[in-house]
Amino acid sequence: MSGAAVRVDTTSPVPPYEQIRAQLAALITTGRLPEGERLPTVRQLAADLGLAAGTVARAYRELEAASLILTRRGAGTRVARLPTVARRREAAELAEATKDFVAWTRALGFGEEEVLEAVRRALRE
């Protein structure tokens, strides 16, 4: 996983497998873990987090059931293509957030070019 970190809070009432599943699902659906990105092996992630391999295996099984990851013998576990329903929902959320952002910038008195330049700078960072 390129720079994406998963953390587990052992004091949380949320089971560790669910913390792992939720964090990886969020990284995948937001694009921080792109399609084809290789995930650590169950044993490696378990060792990194100080957990039992079965805990990580359960998170991976649930991610696979949700079609977010694929495991192939010899090829490892990789991020799957995002389901189209989830992608459409995210596109709708992006459109709505963009409308809110544009309304806010207009209320502040910024012009189109100023807003576009600010967005371009933010995307490059």
Side-chain angles (χ1 to χ4, degrees):
M1 288 187 318
S2 58
V6 174
R7 295 186 189 346
V8 173
D9 177 2
T10 57
T11 64
S12 172
V14 178
Y17 81 89
E18 177 56 23
Q19 292 179 51
I20 296 165
R21 187 211 60 77
Q23 289 176 55
L24 287 174
L27 290 168
I28 292 166
T29 59
T30 60
R32 290 196 49 216
L33 282 177
E35 178 183 345
E37 178 85 16
R38 189 172 187 154
L39 299 181
T41 65
V42 167
R43 286 184 188 182
Q44 182 60 56
L45 187 55
D48 291 348
L49 297 173
L51 298 171
T55 301
V56 175
R58 181 168 179 187
Y60 276 23
R61 279 193 308 274
E62 293 200 10
L63 289 165
E64 197 152 16
S67 300
L68 294 175
I69 64 173
L70 294 170
T71 302
R72 300 267 191 265
R73 185 176 295 273
T77 301
R78 296 187 180 270
V79 174
R81 180 183 307 243
L82 206 56
T84 56
V85 171
R87 196 67 181 152
R88 281 194 303 263
R89 185 183 72 243
E90 289 173 354
E93 290 173 4
L94 175 61
E96 191 60 34
T98 302
K99 287 178 188 176
D100 292 344
F101 174 72
V102 168
W104 177 70
T105 60
R106 284 185 177 150
L108 292 174
F110 289 103
E112 182 177 334
E113 287 307 313
E114 291 172 297
V115 173
L116 289 173
E117 184 52 38
V119 169
R120 286 185 194 103
R121 273 195 313 271
L123 287 170
R124 286 191 295 261
E125 291 178 0

